[in-house]
Amino acid sequence: MSAGRRPTMADVAARAGVSVSTVSLTYSGAGPISPDMKARVERAAEELGYSGPSPQARALRSGRTHIVGLVVHDRLQLALRDPFTLGVLDALIGDLGEMGLGVLWLPSPPPEPTEPTLLDTAPMDAAVVMRVRDHDEPALEILAKRGVPVAIVEGMAPGAASITIDDTAATRELIEHLVSLGHKRIGTITLPRNSDRETAVVTDDMLSGTLWTPTKNRLRAFADAGIEPCVIVESRTSALQEGINAGHLALAHESRPTALVCQSDLLAAGAVLAARERGLRVPEDVSITGFDGIDLAWLEPEQLTTVLQDAPAKGHLIAQAVRDVLDGAAAPVLKLPLEMRVGTTTGPAT
């Protein structure tokens, strides 16, 4: 072997005194290799500095890229601020790694792309779409045209695997809890509706547009409970500072809400801080609920009334769905259970 040249499988075979197919089987695990033969090949590879078949060659032989595309609609710096999202991704990526799969983070395409996007061209065996709109989702259209198997988190589409939660029923339980405490003026702080907007009070005409599925589901809970929110504030993203901004907007609204239903714990924690900044006591002057059940030790002595969902369990379910669709199984619909926890941030209306 000449100096500077990367060692090949043939070099390893020659050094070990075996066939190239034996070296290939040692690395692929696709056939029976005795422990002694395996050790012989690995010793020769170590002596030569051979690290294994190139990813390109392995992909050509197997017809697989061993890559899962991860479509996230938030910008990276926003998505990774949310501890719940991090918990989901940590479990998902860990499971995929154990399956021999890597992850490619893909930006969501624009609503009406005028030229091919990375989602159109990036090599992948399957894709995970973290959330979808109630219709006209360009990411799903692109993946369907490519024939890429898809797992959707908190959304549904024909032929796609789905990982769901009954967030409408869980949010309704929060609303009914507040109603039982005598609250009539109940406002809400929502997750982003469908794009990167500024945090603002939502008007009736703004609600006529498309909605991300979680936002739509949790707003539907008000109708199911027979309650009309006295104010709706849409947050730019699920982040503490946006929760503070949204909390100030909601609490300053002319409807004077006595309770706020927030669509994430970070938004709820921000609303609690906004209430404190406005000289309001929680829950004596205003009750506040969250959603997710993340650890907010810094909020003590307050403990949010919220809905608990298990972030690692959600990540494991997504990985399970990816495994199923790659194995050619019917696209599963997997549901994560939820549980309401009553904390110290809700109390009787005054």
Side-chain angles (χ1 to χ4, degrees), residues 121 290 306 349:
T121 58
T306 189

Coordinates of all heavy atoms in Angstrom, one line a residue, residues 121 290 306 349:
T121 N -33.8 17.4 -1.8 CA -32.6 16.8 -2.4 C -31.8 16.0 -1.4 O -31.0 15.1 -1.8 CB -31.7 17.9 -3.0 OG1 -31.4 18.8 -1.9 CG2 -32.4 18.6 -4.1
G290 N -50.0 25.7 32.8 CA -49.0 25.4 31.7 C -49.4 24.1 31.0 O -50.5 23.6 31.1
T306 N -50.4 22.1 35.6 CA -50.0 21.8 34.2 C -50.5 20.4 33.8 O -51.1 19.7 34.6 CB -48.5 21.9 34.1 OG1 -48.1 21.8 32.7 CG2 -47.8 20.8 34.9
A349 N -61.4 32.1 42.0 CA -61.5 33.4 41.4 C -61.9 34.4 42.5 O -62.7 34.1 43.4 CB -62.5 33.4 40.3

